[in-house]
Structures are given as structure tokens and as C-alpha cells.
Amino acid sequence: NAGVTQTPKFRVLKTGQSMTLLCAQDMNHEYMYWYRQDPGMGLRLIHYSVGEGTTAKGEVPDGYNVSRLKKQNFLLGLESAAPSQTSVYFCASSPRGRIQETQYFGPGTRLLVL
Amino acid sequence: AQKVTQAQTEISVVEKEDVTLDCVYETRDTTYYLFWYKQPPSGELVFLIRRNSFDEQNEISGRYSWNFQKSTSSFNFTITASQVVDSAVYFCALSEAAGGGADGLTFGKGTHLIIQP
């Protein structure tokens, strides 16, 4: 039982390049989330999904797109990376998205955009 | 206005000292949950505790204790007899009924705790 995994662990991009971050969970959770963590800012929600085939915007969605084609996977895409997207990205999941549920976090992906 | 405020950006203490990390939150909901997460230097987020808005009992787990006071909208975290391994960034987070949980957690900016040997 791997929990929540993220691929890749670290990536360097040039401005304007695109990439996709992959999040996978093996806990059969319905809800999945993407956060970004910046120094002194805590974690902020980018997008989330309440189930397969559904996505919704969070607090800071601009510049990102997401897809949830399979229940266990939640993809975060950057179509044209910008230096402002340099951050650590965390994926999380929870069983049914209820407020009392603990979110389980992946190990994070460190992204550097030059 | 911040919904979760961790006013202490960084705290440095000597090993074996007690230390308290403050967390003040803001919500209009009567039903909500508060969480603490630890982020060690390795970077992962480790869940520490969850507390619902109807339970104001203090919680103790080994050297860790949490004090929840609705009257002051605070959920403070105390480490007794701190150890070097406690060095980490600690996040307080809020989950509100208004979002049904779907909106994710609202995090504070974190407190960087440094325990010096």
C-alpha cells in the first residue's frame, strides 16, 4: 500500500516549456487535491477533484490545468511554465472529502522554472 | 484576512525547553475541524492531530499537547522537553463545513521550529 505517490520528485524547466505532474493513490479515495507550497506562504489549493471525470478550481488555479481520467490518478499540467510557478507541489487525497477527514499527502514535487 | 494565522514565523529554543506554537483561526461556521501537520527537513507532510469544533478537551500525546479554545479561536500546540528531532516546519490548517471539505484545507503560513542541541 503505497498511499499517495508523485512523479517526478524534481524537475527543472525553462520558461515556456510544458510538463505534467502525476499523482497516484491506491486508497480508493474519491477526492484529490493539488497544492503548491511557497516560502512563507504555507500551502495553497490549486485545483481539486471530487471524483473521476470532475475537476474544480481552488485558490490559485491560473496557469494550471488538471485532469482526472481515472479515479486513482490526478494530473497537474503546466502548459507554458513561468518562473512564478517555481514551487513545491503536493498532491493529497481524502476518502469522501468530508471536513473531518484527514488528507493524505504525497511526498511532493520540487519544480524549478528558469 | 487570513483564515489561519501562525504569527510565529520562526522559533529557536535549546533542547529540553518547552515550546508553544500558536494558531489562530477565523471561520463563520459552527462546524469545522482543525489540524496540525509537521514538515520535517525531508519535506513530507506528517499528520499530527485533528480536532473538531465541538470538542474543546485538551489533547496530549507523549510530549505533544494541544490546547483548543473556541473563545479565543486558538488551537495551540506545545512540545514539552523538546528534542532535536522536533525541528521542522509546523502547519496549522482549517477545514470548514461551508466548503463541505471539497475546498481542501486552509493552511497557515507555518512556524519553523529550530531545536538547538
Side-chain angles (χ1 to χ4, degrees):
Chain A
N1 195 344
V4 180
T5 58
Q6 293 183 231
T7 309
K9 287 185 172 53
F10 176 69
R11 184 77 182 268
V12 179
L13 287 180
K14 293 182 180 178
T15 297
Q17 287 185 320
S18 63
M19 79 164 292
T20 300
L21 282 67
L22 170 64
C23 175
Q25 52 94 4
D26 61 3
M27 297 174 284
N28 202 34
H29 286 175
E30 292 293 334
Y31 282 64
M32 296 185 75
Y33 311 83
W34 275 108
Y35 294 87
R36 59 176 289 172
Q37 180 184 14
D38 302 296
M41 294 295 294
L43 278 77
R44 293 179 292 169
L45 185 66
I46 305 172
H47 285 279
Y48 63 95
S49 168
V50 305
E52 183 179 319
T54 70
T55 63
K57 294 180 180 180
E59 180 186 354
V60 288
D62 294 341
Y64 305 96
N65 56 75
V66 288
S67 64
R68 183 102 181 266
L69 298 180
K70 292 183 179 181
K71 185 177 183 178
Q72 63 267 35
N73 295 337
F74 193 28
L75 305 179
L76 178 71
L78 287 73
E79 290 187 350
S80 180
S84 61
Q85 293 177 305
T86 293
S87 188
V88 180
Y89 292 86
F90 286 96
C91 176
S93 71
S94 69
R96 295 180 187 81
R98 292 183 294 213
I99 66 167
Q100 66 267 35
E101 291 173 358
T102 300
Q103 290 189 13
Y104 296 83
F105 284 84
T109 293
R110 188 173 298 272
L111 176 65
L112 174 62
V113 182
L114 301 176
Chain B
Q2 287 183 1
K3 284 195 168 184
V4 179
T5 302
Q6 295 181 256
Q8 304 149 310
T9 304
E10 184 174 290
I11 301 175
S12 180
V13 301
V14 177
E15 198 172 21
K16 298 183 183 176
E17 286 186 11
D18 298 347
V19 57
T20 296
L21 283 60
D22 298 333
C23 173
V24 174
Y25 62 92
E26 178 186 330
T27 180
R28 294 181 180 179
D29 290 343
T30 55
T31 302
Y32 53 90
Y33 282 75
L34 294 160
F35 299 78
W36 276 95
Y37 282 86
K38 174 182 179 180
Q39 187 177 43
S42 52
E44 74 274 21
L45 285 160
V46 178
F47 165 75
L48 294 177
I49 191 172
R50 173 185 62 204
R51 171 65 74 206
N52 75 61
S53 54
F54 299 106
D55 183 1
E56 289 194 70
Q57 273 194 324
N58 289 342
E59 176 101 7
I60 298 175
S61 176
R63 296 184 296 106
Y64 295 173
S65 62
W66 291 267
N67 179 254
F68 175 36
Q69 290 194 337
K70 288 179 75 169
S71 61
T72 56
S73 297
S74 64
F75 186 42
N76 297 337
F77 172 33
T78 297
I79 301 175
T80 303
S82 60
Q83 299 177 2
V84 172
V85 294
D86 296 326
S87 296
V89 179
Y90 291 86
F91 291 100
C92 181
L94 169 69
S95 180
E96 299 171 276
D103 290 353
L105 295 169
T106 301
F107 283 83
K109 294 184 178 182
T111 296
H112 184 198
L113 178 62
I114 301 168
I115 310 296
Q116 298 181 12

